[in-house]
Amino acid sequence: MKGKIDVLLVGVGGQGTILASKVVSTVALGRGYDVKMSEIHGMAQRGSSVVTHLRMAEKVYSPLIEAGQANYMVAFEQLEALRWLHFLHEYGTIIVNTQRIKPMTVITSAATYPAAIGQQIAAVAHRMVCLDALSIAQDLGNVRVANVVLLGALAQQMDFPQDDWLQALEATVPPRFLALNKRAFEAGLSGNWRLEVGS
């Protein structure tokens, strides 16, 4: 077993961040890690921020990742990536879904959606991987598997065997959706979509 790994998953309600975090934790548990997970939800389940802290090591004493300590960050939406970017380690990897979901303040014209978010993140992140997970999921026939596409992109960056991820999907996804989710995972893992920024 290697040292500690901290993973932060951020998005908005309805994007499947919780399922994704359960898959990652299942993989880590299967590799013998002690795992602690903490979920933070906004006031409304759908459309508000959802953040999952996921920590794994030989022994984990706190479920919360400190600012600047996340080895990996998976952002299901661009603005959430920017909002939580300060949690990323200086040598960490951030995976960003290019999807934009306007928060209520933008919808009501009380604020504007920030421009050039990708460039702002790239200026800070050591390694940044961008992909349009929503379009990939649409091509597979169901936008709801965009979260698993992002899991595939995360798996590409982490040192866990592919079979472990597929077994974790089998343990967490209902059987009738399993084949589709495996295709989504493999689409994210393939890296054919790849647009990387950073060194």
Side-chain angles (χ1 to χ4, degrees):
M1 180 186 301
K2 296 186 178 180
K4 76 171 182 67
I5 303 173
D6 290 342
V7 182
L8 191 74
L9 299 96
V10 301
V12 300
Q15 285 193 291
T17 57
I18 303 303
L19 173 64
S21 64
K22 288 179 180 177
V23 173
V24 179
S25 63
T26 300
V27 172
L29 287 167
R31 301 302 295 178
Y33 284 89
D34 181 28
V35 179
K36 295 287 190 300
M37 186 171 72
S38 177
E39 300 167 0
I40 302 171
H41 301 262
M43 292 182 66
Q45 183 177 6
R46 183 168 293 274
S48 62
S49 292
V50 179
V51 182
T52 302
H53 295 244
L54 181 58
R55 308 193 68 212
M56 59 190 85
E58 185 172 352
K59 184 63 179 176
V60 178
Y61 296 97
S62 169
L64 297 179
I65 301 170
E66 295 182 4
Q69 294 301 309
N71 304 104
Y72 300 95
M73 182 172 162
V74 184
F76 290 63
E77 194 274 340
Q78 288 192 56
L79 184 56
E80 295 301 316
L82 189 61
R83 191 192 311 273
W84 297 96
L85 185 60
H86 62 287
F87 273 84
L88 187 67
H89 190 277
E90 62 176 325
Y91 296 116
T93 296
I94 182 169
I95 296 164
V96 182
N97 182 17
T98 58
Q99 182 178 3
R100 291 184 172 202
I101 299 176
K102 294 180 180 179
M104 188 56 63
T105 53
V106 174
I107 293 173
T108 59
S109 300
T112 57
Y113 197 99
I117 288 179
Q119 289 89 332
Q120 294 181 60
I121 296 170
V124 175
H126 173 71
R127 182 174 176 81
M128 174 179 169
V129 178
C130 294
L131 68 156
D132 187 349
L134 185 63
S135 291
I136 295 170
Q138 286 175 330
D139 290 343
L140 291 169
N142 192 328
V143 296
R144 293 178 63 85
V145 296
N147 60 338
V148 182
V149 173
L150 290 167
L151 278 181
L154 175 63
Q156 186 188 75
Q157 305 298 319
M158 297 185 75
D159 191 25
F160 293 143
Q162 180 178 347
D163 285 348
D164 287 14
W165 292 92
L166 294 175
Q167 289 171 15
L169 284 172
E170 291 173 359
T172 53
V173 173
R176 66 184 184 278
F177 301 125
L178 183 58
L180 174 61
N181 278 269
K182 283 185 174 181
R183 291 199 302 274
F185 175 81
E186 289 163 358
L189 183 69
S190 71
N192 293 334
W193 42 261
R194 186 179 300 177
L195 170 61
E196 295 186 5
V197 183
S199 57

